[in-house]
Structure formats: C-alpha cells, structure tokens
Amino acid sequence: FRVSLSRYEFHCMLVSDRNRVDGIVVNSPHKTISWKAVVHLLIWAGVILYVFSRFIPCSPVNDYPVFSGLDNSWTQDLHVAFAGRLQFGTDIIFTYGPWGFLARGYYPPTYLISVIAWMLLSLVFLCAGWRVAYQLSDNRLVAGLWLVGFTAAASIPAGDDFNARLVAWGVLLLFLHFFVEERAFTPIQALLAVSLGWLSLVKFTGLVESVMVVAVIAADNIFRHRRFPWIVPLWVASFVFFWVAAGQHPGSLGPFLYNSWRITGGYTEAMMVTSKTEAGHAVCFLLIAVLLCVLTGRIAWTRHRFLGALPLAGLGTILFIVFKLGYVRNDRHETASAMALVLISLGCLAVAGPGRKRAAGVALCLLIASTLFASSVFNRWLPGGGLREHLAGTFSIYNLLAPVASSYTGYLRSEYEKNLANERKSHPLPPMGGGADLYSYDQTILFAHTLPYQPRPVIQSYSAYTPELAEINAAHLRTTRAASNILFAVQPIDGRFPSLDDGRSWPELLTLYDLKGALDDNGKFLLLSRAAAAREYHLILLQNTSARFGEPLMLPAATNGPVWVEIDIKKSLAGTVVSTLYKPPVLMLTVSLQDHTERRFRLVPGMAGGGFLLSPLIADTRSFAALAATGRQDLAGLEVVSMVISARTGSGSTRCYQSPMPVRFYRLDYPLQDFKIPWPSPPAKN
C-alpha cells in the first residue's frame, strides 16, 4: 500500500510539472488550458480554412464571370445546360460532362449547388489529406504544412486548376490504399471513391483516370487481400447516382460515353498546338515523371513486391494523362501538368515516411525539381504573375475569408450582371422570336440577351473535328429541334482553313436559313432565320483524284460554282503510335487564288474527311453573306486555283500519314437568295 501511494504521489508530481510547462493553471489542477491543445486547434482551423478557401467558388476574378471569348462561352454553356437539364451525349456533346459546371464559372441558378458540392468534396479532401499527411509525420504542424502545400498545388492557377484537382483526388486514393491503410477498404477510401465517381462526371479525362485508379485498387483487393473489391460497385453506384442527380436520363448514359470517347479521340490531331520551347519542357516533364515512377516503384516493391506494379500502373496512367493535357495543346494547359508533378512529388514525400530516409531524401529532391520546373512554366505562360506570386496570393485575407463571404452572393451577382450589361452593349441584338444558337463560339452573347438557347449537339464549332461529329451537327439542323435564329460568324481558331469549323453544316445553313443582315457595325455576326420553305442543295462530283504531300493539285476547270472537297487523310501505323503517345506533325493547306495570291492555313484531317467548302475562300462573315446572296461581287478573285497539302516539317512531308490521299471535288449547287444584305459602311479612316 505504501509503495502504491508513493507511485501515485510521483504521478501527481509529473502531472503538476507538465501543467506548469505546457499550460496555465487556473484555480485548480483540473482547470488547465494546454498550450499544445491550443496550437493543435489553431493548426486544424488554419488548414480547414485554407482548404475551403481554395475549393469553394467564391471569387468573381478566379471563377470567370460572363464575358465573351471561347473558354468563357463553353463555361457558361455548361452552367446553362445543367440548369436546363439538357442531356449530355445527345443534346450536348463536349469534353465535359453534366457536372462540368463545377470546374469553374459563376451562374446564379447553379451557384448554391456549386458551393454545397465543393464543401462536401473539400471535407473528403481534408479527411484523406490528413490521413496521408500523418504518414509523413505525427507532428501536426509538419502534417498541416504538407496538406497546405498539397492543397495549393491542386488549386493554382485559379480557373485552370481543375485538371490538377482531378490528379489530387486520384493520388490521394491511390497512395492511401497502397501506402497508408493496412485494410483492404476503409471509410476514407469509400468517401474518395464516391468523390471520384462524382468528379468523373465533370470532365471525361477524369473518368478515364478514375476508372484506372479504381481498377488497380480492385485488382489489389482481389489478389493481395483476397477480398471482394467493394470499391467497384461503390464507384459505379456513385457515378450512376450523380448522373441521375444531374437530371440525366439513364438511357443517355450510353451515348454520353460513346460520344465523349469520340470527341476525346479526335482531340490530339484537331487541337494540338506547338510552341518554340516545347521540346525542352516536355523532356524535363518526362524526366521528372520517370524519376517519380522509379521512386514510387521502389517504395511499392518494398511493401508489396510484385504487386507493387499495380500502384505504378495507376500512377503511370495519371502522369500520361497530364502529359497529354499539357503538351498536345501546349499553352496554359501546361501549368496544370506542372502542378501535377508537384502534387505527386508531395505524395511520394509523404509515403516515403521518416523511416526511409533515403527515399524521403530522393522525394524531397524531386519536390524541389518539380517546383522549380513549375515556376519556369508559370513564368512562361503567366508572365504577369509567376508561381510565387500565385502562391502568395492564396494566403491573402481576401482569399482566406472568401468562403465566409460565399454566403453573401450580392457582389458575385453584381459582377455577373455588370458583365452581361457590357455584353449587351457590345453586341446589341434586334428582337427575335423562337430559340437561338450561335456559330462559332461566342454563346455568352445569347446568354446576355436571355434568349432561349437551342444549341447544336457539339456546342462549339471547332470541336466538331471528326466526320461523325460534324455530321451530328449538320443532321441537327435538319430537325425541328434546330434553333429558329442563328448568329453566325466565321471564327476559325489556330489558323485553320476558315470553312473547316462546322464546315459540314455550311450547306444546311445556306439552304435552311434566310439571311437577315449584319448585327453590328463591324459586321462580325450575321443573323440567320429559319426559312419558311427549305431549299435543297446538291453535291455534283467533278473529279476523283489523289494528292501527295508537297505536290500542287489543280482544281477542276470551269466549275461554274463553289467547290466542295473531301480529303481522306489516314494515319499510318507510325502515325497512330505517335498520335497515341504524343502528337503527329501539324498539316497545312496552301491555296493559290485566282488573284495570284497564296494563303496558308492549318488543315485538320478529320474535318477534311467530312468535307468542306474549298472555293471560293470564305475567310470572313461578309464573304459568307456574299456566298449566299445573288451577285457575289465581293468574291471576285477568291476562287481557288490549286492547293498543296504539306506537313509542318523540314521536308513538308511526314510518315505519320498515308500518301497519296484520296481527294474528291464536287460542285456545291444550291439556290441563291435574292436579297441584298444591308451591310454597314466601314468606319472612316482618320
């Protein structure tokens, strides 16, 4: 008894001494405030506030309020489509899904849903992020700093960060399962699986990434844990639930998957862009990516031996997707790819753990290398603010307190209405009855005037880049679901031949719609109204021939009208491999005109196969109006005499495409409209 009492007194002394060191004694030993608890609480609160501030949409600057432009138009399209319960895969065919509006943008009817969605997703991110962070260190400050860095990498630059968010959720689930959790399936993994099922309906590349991550985890459950892969039915159930929750019919799911695969499959050849310094940056990306795979493979081998190939396959798929994202269309997309490297480096640092000093040291070196690489990419594409400036901006009081202000949406609504007013002022429209659509991509003009929106399936013309997609849009115009009014402009992107974008629809527009006139002083848009009686057009075969790279091909003489052409450009086996792994050379079309001038344009193989108007060269909206009306004086000298197809290589040729290429010339015959367009006079020169 005496020994026990002595031990009790000694224990009380230790408790008393600890209270004196770590806390403040208030009246009695039982009323102690632990400084450690206060610090832990502050760390928790700070991390939670930071995560919410990065993911909850609450900034009119970061979330792209309405104004004209290609990206902002499809952003608003996605919000309007969700609010209007348009069916993805049939009514809407795009690279984003029915929850695509969660990627960015502000729209009053969808704002509350966006806030609630990102609050829930942020909570899942926090739970999973803390679990991985504690794998790095039990010290809450170190773990909190890691999670803040991981969150920052997943959320900058704002507006272009959604692809990095997809990587973040995928990496969390992959690393949690293989390097953190001991059990086959845990509640946190279940929450991440549900989140990925949801995010898969935001963007189609997210669906591909999620399927691969879920597949490797399911394989690990079967072969290593000898358990049923519950993650598969849970992910599928989540995917279907959120599909229906978005107002989508179950029958639309098949067309959505099929058409999303088609539009994604044609993306490389149609949308690829090459920059001068791209090769060096691509090599740097691949070098860091390979080293990250080697490090992950080493850690996985230590823990799982041969089954360590599973997490390596999942990580390799993620890196391949972000590589294609950043270097097929080498522009601001590269920032998301660079931040993906930072995210994966942070993940490797966490799972390397303090027990593996050598692996942790390598992971730290790769984190430094990926951060320096990301900084150079930001300086390249965002010269007004590099990585350091973007990161520092996330810690401003304005950004940190923005989630609190999200409950008050007055300032967002005000900014939104102001931009709509500016759109109406810049693009005034006459009164019109019935639904409206716009060619090629400035749909924000329609939204600003609150016109009933009746979009064609492929909502922006530059995305109808395969013969099948182009025909879907053309067939839509022949139905009663087509818009009664169309605002039309010739708006090619990336230097394409002007009549390629939705070129298959041009004969339908010329015969199913009447020209009503120009809408502004610049003549940017034409107003087309549905004709009371449909006219017919005919394609009359003129010549069936073939073309070789770099060799001129003369057009048939005495065509007596516009010339339509179909060019079957097929990839070779080498081209298929190159296109899958990276991208083939850009193809060019050089045309010689009757006025003895030459013009050089980008040629998209899929669009060329679907057919397009080759002659006369219609390079602007005014020329299109002249094409439809009688007279055609404005088209004098624009007839194409010959053409040359070449690759943007030193020799002008390439082994990525088969040569010769079948070419078919047609005369496009259709009734002209006996209507003189009241075109505005050009502004007087000073």
Side-chain angles (χ1 to χ4, degrees):
F1 175 78
R2 186 174 299 168
V3 171
S4 299
L5 181 62
S6 299
R7 288 178 177 175
Y8 174 75
E9 291 173 347
F10 181 69
H11 175 72
C12 291
M13 290 174 62
L14 289 178
V15 171
S16 177
D17 290 341
R18 187 166 65 247
N19 288 340
R20 290 191 184 96
V21 174
D22 293 336
I24 302 173
V25 179
V26 182
N27 295 332
S28 73
H30 299 289
K31 298 180 180 180
T32 304
I33 302 175
S34 172
W35 286 115
K36 186 179 292 186
V38 172
V39 171
H40 291 171
L41 181 63
L42 290 175
I43 293 173
W44 267 92
V47 173
I48 291 172
L49 181 63
Y50 185 78
V51 170
F52 277 21
S53 72
R54 298 312 304 147
F55 292 140
I56 295 177
C58 48
S59 169
V61 175
N62 293 342
D63 294 305
Y64 290 83
V66 176
F67 53 89
S68 59
L70 187 151
D71 288 336
N72 296 291
S73 292
W74 65 251
T75 296
Q76 284 294 303
D77 250 310
L78 296 175
H79 284 267
V80 172
F82 179 87
R85 296 297 187 263
L86 297 180
Q87 299 300 298
F88 280 73
T90 53
D91 297 334
I92 296 288
I93 300 173
F94 201 52
T95 52
Y96 285 74
W99 289 92
F101 70 96
L102 292 180
R104 66 186 205 177
Y106 171 80
Y107 184 56
T110 60
Y111 179 68
L112 180 59
I113 298 174
S114 298
V115 170
I116 294 173
W118 280 114
M119 285 183 67
L120 296 174
L121 291 167
S122 297
L123 286 173
V124 175
F125 183 90
L126 270 169
C127 295
W130 273 113
R131 187 72 183 90
V132 175
Y134 280 137
Q135 186 73 8
L136 172 66
S137 174
D138 291 332
N139 186 296
R140 285 178 173 81
L141 180 59
V142 174
L145 289 175
W146 180 91
L147 186 51
V148 166
F150 194 80
T151 305
S155 60
I156 54 177
D160 295 308
D161 62 310
F162 184 74
N163 295 291
R165 297 190 193 192
L166 288 175
V167 172
W169 259 262
V171 166
L172 282 176
L173 179 56
L174 192 70
F175 282 20
L176 258 175
H177 177 82
F178 286 99
F179 304 119
V180 178
E181 306 287 10
E182 297 297 333
R183 290 185 294 166
F185 199 48
T186 63
I188 294 179
Q189 291 183 55
L191 289 173
L192 280 171
V194 171
S195 299
L196 281 176
W198 195 356
L199 293 172
S200 297
L201 291 169
V202 176
K203 191 173 183 181
F204 188 71
T205 52
L207 173 60
V208 177
E209 176 186 314
S210 298
V211 167
M212 186 60 184
V213 171
V214 169
V216 297
I217 292 175
D220 185 69
N221 286 334
I222 294 171
F223 295 111
R224 182 165 66 95
H225 293 280
R226 307 295 181 181
R227 299 289 182 86
F228 180 78
W230 289 107
I231 191 172
V232 174
L234 183 62
W235 181 87
V236 172
S238 170
F239 184 83
V240 173
F241 171 80
F242 286 109
W243 174 264
V244 176
Q248 303 297 298
H249 299 305
S252 299
L253 186 55
F256 166 72
L257 296 174
Y258 180 64
N259 286 322
S260 295
W261 184 260
R262 287 205 297 192
I263 198 170
T264 303
Y267 182 89
T268 297
E269 289 180 276
M271 302 300 292
M272 58 184 177
V273 173
T274 303
S275 63
K276 294 180 179 179
T277 58
E278 174 186 335
H281 281 75
V283 170
C284 288
F285 178 96
L286 291 173
L287 178 61
I288 297 174
V290 168
L291 292 175
L292 286 171
C293 287
V294 171
L295 176 60
T296 304
R298 175 60 181 169
I299 299 172
W301 170 262
T302 302
R303 294 177 64 96
H304 308 301
R305 295 303 176 186
F306 290 104
L307 287 178
L310 292 174
L312 190 59
L315 183 63
T317 300
I318 293 173
L319 284 168
F320 176 71
I321 290 173
V322 296
F323 171 73
K324 292 278 286 186
L325 166 75
Y327 295 96
V328 166
R329 188 167 182 82
N330 191 228
D331 52 15
R332 286 173 58 112
H333 289 81
E334 191 180 2
T335 58
S337 297
M339 296 313 295
L341 292 180
V342 178
L343 280 167
I344 297 171
S345 300
L346 284 166
C348 289
L349 179 63
V351 300
R356 303 183 185 90
K357 293 183 179 180
R358 182 176 298 178
V362 174
L364 182 60
C365 291
L366 289 176
L367 175 59
I368 294 172
S370 59
T371 303
L372 292 174
F373 174 71
S375 180
S376 69
V377 170
F378 271 64
N379 291 333
R380 182 184 179 196
W381 295 114
L382 305 171
L387 178 59
R388 183 173 59 183
E389 289 77 12
H390 279 270
L391 180 60
T394 65
F395 294 99
S396 68
I397 296 298
Y398 172 79
N399 280 295
L400 291 175
L401 297 182
V404 179
S406 64
S407 59
Y408 172 70
T409 60
Y411 73 103
L412 283 173
R413 186 65 176 257
S414 175
E415 187 76 11
Y416 175 81
E417 295 293 346
K418 182 175 70 175
N419 283 302
L420 290 181
N422 290 337
E423 280 293 296
R424 290 191 292 268
K425 183 178 180 181
S426 301
H427 301 94
L429 299 181
M432 59 183 73
D437 194 6
L438 185 144
Y439 287 67
S440 161
Y441 55 74
D442 269 330
Q443 285 89 347
T444 49
I445 297 172
L446 303 180
F447 305 145
H449 288 271
T450 63
L451 295 172
Y453 185 41
Q454 289 183 262
R456 58 204 181 277
V458 185
I459 54 177
Q460 295 193 320
S461 296
Y462 63 86
S463 290
Y465 40 61
T466 70
E468 297 80 11
L469 294 173
E471 178 56 31
I472 287 174
N473 273 2
H476 172 79
L477 291 174
R478 297 191 288 267
T479 68
T480 57
R481 295 181 293 109
S484 300
N485 304 282
I486 289 178
L487 274 65
F488 180 86
V490 180
Q491 292 176 298
I493 68 169
D494 301 335
R496 292 179 183 177
F497 194 84
S499 58
L500 282 176
D501 291 359
D502 253 328
R504 185 66 188 82
S505 295
W506 280 31
E508 312 293 345
L509 293 172
L510 290 168
T511 54
L512 297 177
Y513 287 83
D514 294 332
L515 298 176
K516 295 299 182 181
L519 293 177
D520 52 29
D521 292 340
N522 297 323
K524 180 179 180 180
F525 287 100
L526 288 172
L527 176 60
L528 310 179
S529 293
R530 191 78 176 185
R535 300 176 292 273
E536 293 185 356
Y537 71 89
H538 301 280
L539 291 174
I540 303 170
L541 183 63
L542 298 174
Q543 185 179 5
N544 198 337
T545 182
S546 61
R548 294 181 180 273
F549 285 112
E551 296 181 3
L553 179 63
M554 302 299 295
L555 270 66
T559 58
N560 298 321
V563 177
W564 182 269
V565 66
E566 295 173 356
I567 310 172
D568 292 333
I569 306 175
K570 304 296 184 183
K571 289 195 292 287
S572 62
L573 178 60
T576 301
V577 173
V578 170
S579 182
T580 301
L581 298 179
Y582 188 33
K583 57 186 176 185
V586 173
L587 298 186
M588 305 300 295
L589 177 64
T590 303
V591 293
S592 298
L593 304 181
Q594 198 173 49
D595 62 3
H596 306 293
T597 60
E598 281 191 354
R599 303 284 298 276
R600 197 163 186 252
F601 299 96
R602 168 90 175 270
L603 182 66
V604 178
M607 291 176 162
F612 63 99
L613 183 71
L614 176 63
S615 176
L617 174 61
I618 306 299
D620 53 39
T621 307
R622 183 165 188 154
S623 299
F624 182 87
L627 182 71
T630 56
R632 294 181 174 172
Q633 291 86 355
D634 293 336
L635 301 181
L638 296 179
E639 293 84 359
V640 176
V641 177
S642 65
M643 68 177 194
V644 178
I645 301 173
S646 60
R648 196 183 288 171
T649 60
S651 63
S653 184
T654 176
R655 294 183 179 180
C656 290
Y657 295 97
Q658 298 177 15
S659 182
M661 299 158 279
V663 178
R664 293 176 295 277
F665 292 109
Y666 300 86
R667 183 173 77 245
L668 177 59
D669 190 18
Y670 57 92
L672 299 178
Q673 300 181 39
D674 188 15
F675 179 78
K676 182 175 177 58
I677 295 182
W679 206 273
S681 301
K685 296 182 179 180
N686 294 330

